Amino acid sequence: MTKQEFLRKINDIKAQNEQKKIRGFNDYNIFSTLHKDSDEVNLHSRFIHSLLDPSGKHNQGTIFLDLFMRSCSLDEFKIDINNAKVTREDHNIDILISDEVNSKYIIIENKIYAEDQKEQIQNYIKYIYDELDEKADIYVLYLTLYGKKPSDASLGKFKLDGNYLKNGKEQVKFKSISYKNDILKWLNECRVEMQNLLKFDLIISQYIDVVKSLIGTYKNSISDSLTDFLLTKENYKYFSRNKDRDEFRIYENDYEGATKQIIENFLNDLTGKINNELKSYGVIAENIRGERINDLDLIEVYTSSTHRFWELAEGRKCILFRVYSWQHGNSKNGLYIEIINNYNMPDEDFTQKQRFIGREIFGKSEGKRERQFHYQKILPLTNGNIWELADIIINDDNFLNTIFDVINAYIIEHVGIVRTINKNLEDKKFAKKFVEGKITRKELEQYEQ
């Protein structure tokens, strides 16, 4: 195929898409038109607050707040939503739900791409105790795209211990929640509740599209045909070889979309293969890759369904397998299978000790990769980014099976001991010994029996 023929096909698809627009197909979104998709303050916090506020202009009372409490499994906090007041940017708190009659307060800290501020959450808690209610019962919800935990700097003197933040005798409830799971679940339930009110259905649907765009699951109604064209092996390889030429640069967004889709399809296939072929080992695999172009946290593998979405699992302690791409411009670059901590363990120095614990229990890892219990490089990479990975996937028809075979062997080798650790981590004495690196492989084998 000549360059002219290839570009003519792309231009033909673009022309067809223009005709679709004329006939009414479009991706017009009022939220994205007015704000960047990632605008935490002016888009996301403002819209979420507008629904949660019982006195808001939606005139639906407590319906949205009640659905939010249920979607995020907050029923046990027993806030009286009929007495609830929902405010935004009160002392810089993104969203604050207050039940002053019962001294209950829910802090929602909304983070998309912004970094945590020093002692941010600590200051919010202090403000409620000092200025609003010294006997307050506080619940902190840390909202991110995928449910990650807050930084130690943000927590200040508080330490995350399971589903609590603790500072001496002070303790408040804590939960990481995500746009990917909790917010989308809530929004879809809001749509169901409002299904007879077309205005609300359209508004909430458009906001759902913004959230899906952020987490990489939104399907563009216009450019899908061009993405499909570029997903064809020959077409993608041709474009990849020519992407730096001037005539091709105007299509770089379409190329990026196709690249993301190649990675997503591969990860879905690999996740499915792990779940199907390792079913007898009781493991659960989850595709966790972020939307951002070079975010290569790829797949997590849990030894029990109760450990799935570990950041949201009510502080459940566990260790897990992860497939991850390391990219730091040196010989460490590559695709890895690892055993990692889920960060719900006690002891602030735990992370520094992981490599020593791992060496004792799982054996020495090859290379110099740090802060993991154990790891194995399963694919050397030059750059470690998704462009390189997508090229490998496209060019090697057997790549899925090759990578799976290595992951399969690694998980089978270690899954028994990982499961034994996870079964015993709820025991405080065991967890303390494990965190301190005092559990030996021989002792773990006795626990297995």
Side-chain angles (χ1 to χ4, degrees):
M1 184 188 308
T2 67
K3 179 184 72 174
Q4 288 74 19
E5 290 172 333
F6 186 85
L7 291 175
R8 185 172 65 249
K9 288 185 177 182
I10 290 180
N11 287 325
D12 286 345
I13 293 171
K14 287 284 189 181
Q16 292 168 13
N17 285 339
E18 289 301 318
Q19 288 299 312
K20 287 183 181 179
K21 292 178 184 179
I22 293 171
R23 294 198 303 270
F25 290 88
N26 65 77
D27 289 290
Y28 181 79
N29 188 296
I30 189 64
F31 293 102
S32 299
T33 301
L34 297 175
H35 301 286
K36 290 183 178 179
D37 284 359
S38 59
D39 191 330
E40 295 167 2
V41 177
N42 296 309
L43 196 167
H44 296 281
S45 290
R46 181 172 288 180
F47 182 70
I48 291 171
H49 165 261
S50 74
L51 290 184
L52 293 178
D53 185 5
S55 62
K57 293 182 179 180
H58 51 66
N59 294 321
Q60 300 302 307
T62 61
I63 288 176
F64 300 123
L65 178 57
D66 184 46
L67 290 171
F68 178 82
M69 298 292 288
R70 281 189 265 163
S71 296
C72 296
S73 301
L74 300 174
D75 293 340
E76 82 284 355
F77 195 54
K78 299 188 184 302
I79 196 168
D80 184 353
I81 62 171
N82 294 310
N83 287 319
K85 179 173 66 173
V86 183
T87 55
R88 191 175 69 87
E89 294 299 320
D90 181 357
H91 203 74
N92 294 323
I93 298 174
D94 290 329
I95 299 173
L96 179 62
I97 303 171
S98 308
D99 174 8
E100 296 175 358
V101 173
N102 296 295
S103 296
K104 290 183 177 289
Y105 299 83
I106 298 175
I107 295 169
I108 302 177
E109 175 60 14
N110 185 20
K111 291 288 182 188
I112 295 180
Y113 296 143
E115 297 294 326
D116 285 338
Q117 301 300 308
K118 185 178 179 181
E119 299 179 353
Q120 191 171 23
I121 291 177
Q122 174 186 294
N123 290 337
Y124 297 159
I125 295 170
K126 186 176 185 299
Y127 165 70
I128 291 176
Y129 282 141
D130 292 351
E131 304 294 333
L132 300 183
D133 191 336
E134 62 181 11
K135 297 180 180 179
D137 188 6
I138 301 173
Y139 209 136
V140 175
L141 299 180
Y142 190 72
L143 171 59
T144 61
L145 291 180
Y146 304 101
K148 72 176 184 179
K149 69 167 187 170
S151 66
D152 291 339
S154 173
L155 297 179
K157 294 180 180 179
F158 283 88
K159 302 299 178 186
L160 180 56
D161 185 0
N163 55 343
Y164 286 93
L165 297 176
K166 296 181 178 180
N167 175 24
K169 294 183 179 180
E170 287 184 332
Q171 73 172 27
V172 303
K173 294 189 177 188
F174 173 85
K175 178 180 285 190
S176 291
I177 61 174
S178 70
Y179 280 92
K180 179 181 178 182
N181 298 306
D182 304 276
I183 295 300
L184 282 180
K185 178 182 177 183
W186 170 57
L187 292 168
N188 282 311
E189 290 181 358
C190 289
R191 281 194 66 195
V192 171
E193 192 69 30
M194 297 288 110
Q195 60 186 327
N196 294 323
L197 298 174
L198 180 61
K199 181 177 179 180
F200 282 106
D201 183 64
L202 291 173
I203 291 170
I204 295 172
S205 294
Q206 287 223 320
Y207 183 65
I208 287 174
D209 286 344
V210 174
V211 174
K212 286 183 175 180
S213 177
L214 281 171
I215 63 174
T217 59
Y218 177 69
K219 300 298 182 184
N220 189 305
S221 64
I222 295 298
S223 62
D224 278 354
S225 52
L226 181 53
T227 299
D228 290 341
F229 173 76
L230 291 177
L231 283 176
T232 303
K233 181 177 180 178
E234 292 74 15
N235 294 339
Y236 185 86
K237 288 172 66 175
Y238 188 91
F239 197 106
S240 185
R241 289 196 303 269
N242 292 280
K243 62 181 182 293
D244 294 328
R245 299 175 69 169
D246 290 340
E247 309 96 306
F248 288 79
R249 285 177 183 164
I250 60 173
Y251 305 112
E252 61 184 2
N253 288 338
D254 302 296
Y255 173 59
E256 180 176 313
T259 302
K260 287 181 180 180
Q261 194 59 53
I262 288 169
I263 298 293
E264 192 67 18
N265 292 345
F266 170 75
L267 292 178
N268 287 337
D269 290 342
L270 181 56
T271 301
K273 198 169 178 63
I274 293 170
N275 282 326
N276 289 332
E277 301 197 25
L278 287 170
K279 188 180 296 182
S280 61
Y281 291 89
V283 299
I284 305 291
E286 183 75 20
N287 176 2
I288 62 158
R289 193 184 81 82
E291 183 269 347
R292 283 186 270 186
I293 190 69
N294 282 322
D295 184 352
L296 279 181
D297 284 351
L298 302 178
I299 292 173
E300 285 176 350
V301 183
Y302 320 90
T303 56
S304 166
S305 60
T306 57
H307 294 133
R308 200 175 187 187
F309 305 122
W310 47 264
E311 287 281 11
L312 310 175
E314 296 297 333
R316 184 179 293 276
K317 301 178 181 69
C318 71
I319 63 176
L320 60 148
F321 297 95
R322 180 175 67 170
V323 180
Y324 174 78
S325 180
W326 182 262
Q327 45 171 343
H328 282 272
N330 54 41
S331 61
K332 295 180 184 178
N333 289 350
L335 207 60
Y336 290 82
I337 174 76
E338 312 173 315
I339 301 169
I340 64 170
N341 169 31
N342 79 335
Y343 305 105
N344 279 327
M345 310 288 188
D347 193 324
E348 61 185 322
D349 297 323
F350 181 84
T351 308
Q352 300 300 325
K353 299 176 182 177
Q354 283 183 18
R355 52 183 165 161
F356 303 111
I357 298 171
R359 187 178 302 164
E360 175 65 26
I361 295 174
F362 300 105
K364 188 176 181 181
S365 298
E366 296 181 4
K368 299 180 180 179
R369 187 154 162 71
E370 299 177 355
R371 302 183 76 167
Q372 314 298 319
F373 292 120
H374 193 267
Y375 65 91
Q376 178 179 327
K377 184 183 283 190
I378 56 180
L379 175 73
L381 292 172
T382 303
N383 301 312
N385 58 32
I386 75 164
W387 311 103
E388 182 180 11
L389 188 56
D391 281 338
I392 294 172
I393 293 167
I394 284 291
N395 284 291
D396 185 353
D397 292 334
N398 200 43
F399 183 65
L400 176 65
N401 292 326
T402 301
I403 291 299
F404 171 76
D405 288 345
V406 181
I407 292 172
N408 178 63
Y410 186 88
I411 291 176
I412 289 174
E413 179 183 358
H414 297 293
V415 70
I417 204 73
V418 170
R419 180 175 284 108
T420 297
I421 292 169
N422 286 339
K423 282 183 177 178
N424 289 281
L425 277 174
E426 295 303 318
D427 180 282
K428 290 183 179 179
K429 289 183 179 179
F430 179 93
K432 186 174 187 296
K433 285 186 71 175
F434 179 73
V435 165
E436 292 174 352
K438 296 177 181 177
I439 293 283
T440 66
R441 180 64 183 247
K442 189 173 181 180
E443 286 179 279
L444 282 169
E445 288 170 353
Q446 292 173 354
Y447 276 98
E448 279 186 294
Q449 297 173 359

